[in-house]
Amino acid sequence: MTQAQDTTLVVLASLPVDVRVASALQSAARALGYADGCAIVQLTDVGEPRRFVFETDPWAVIAIDDASIDALRTAFELDAQAFSPDVPARVTGYALVAVPGFATCLDDPEAKRVAWGRMQAAAHPGNPLD
């Protein structure tokens, strides 16, 4: 996992991600305008997610599985209508984006397209997507 300190995009996962998934996440982060990529952080390493977000102070957090999505919902007191895969949240200045099943989408072009569409909500504000 990548260190989260001094990063502007954090990817939160409940389980360790393999090299292929990590590489895809780094490529997506750069495409979203994050020149330094992203920090991939395991949920068990963050302690309390809300405090973690405030302390690392990223532009955006992308949760890539159900457990990490639920952890952000709980931490920021959001229900499924306020934060879900097709409903990103902006909370206290942070973009929270849900991309469930990211690790399994890489071999399915349609699922990959859907995941990319969701991730675009986390685009760096200084480098908007065309």
Side-chain angles (χ1 to χ4, degrees):
M1 297 288 160
T2 306
Q3 291 288 10
Q5 188 176 10
D6 297 326
T7 190
T8 56
L9 177 63
V10 170
V11 174
L12 192 58
S14 64
L15 300 171
V17 298
D18 65 29
V19 172
R20 182 172 179 236
V21 172
S23 178
L25 288 166
Q26 294 298 344
S27 293
R30 285 187 286 283
L32 291 169
Y34 297 91
D36 294 329
C38 62
I40 303 168
V41 181
Q42 199 170 330
L43 189 57
T44 56
D45 294 335
V46 303
E48 200 285 306
R50 183 181 180 99
R51 183 176 187 168
F52 171 79
V53 170
F54 288 148
E55 288 176 352
T56 57
D57 197 28
W59 285 108
V61 179
I62 299 175
I64 62 167
D65 53 47
D66 291 338
S68 58
I69 293 166
D70 289 341
L72 287 179
R73 269 192 201 121
T74 300
F76 289 95
E77 300 175 355
L78 301 167
D79 61 22
Q81 291 180 328
F83 178 55
S84 67
D86 294 315
V87 182
R90 173 98 23 213
V91 180
T92 62
Y94 302 105
L96 305 179
V97 180
V99 185
F102 183 84
T104 60
C105 83
L106 300 180
D107 293 320
D108 179 343
E110 179 59 19
K112 194 170 161 181
R113 184 191 65 75
V114 170
W116 174 245
R118 290 172 174 160
M119 292 177 94
Q120 290 180 13
H124 190 284
N127 297 294
L129 298 172
D130 294 330

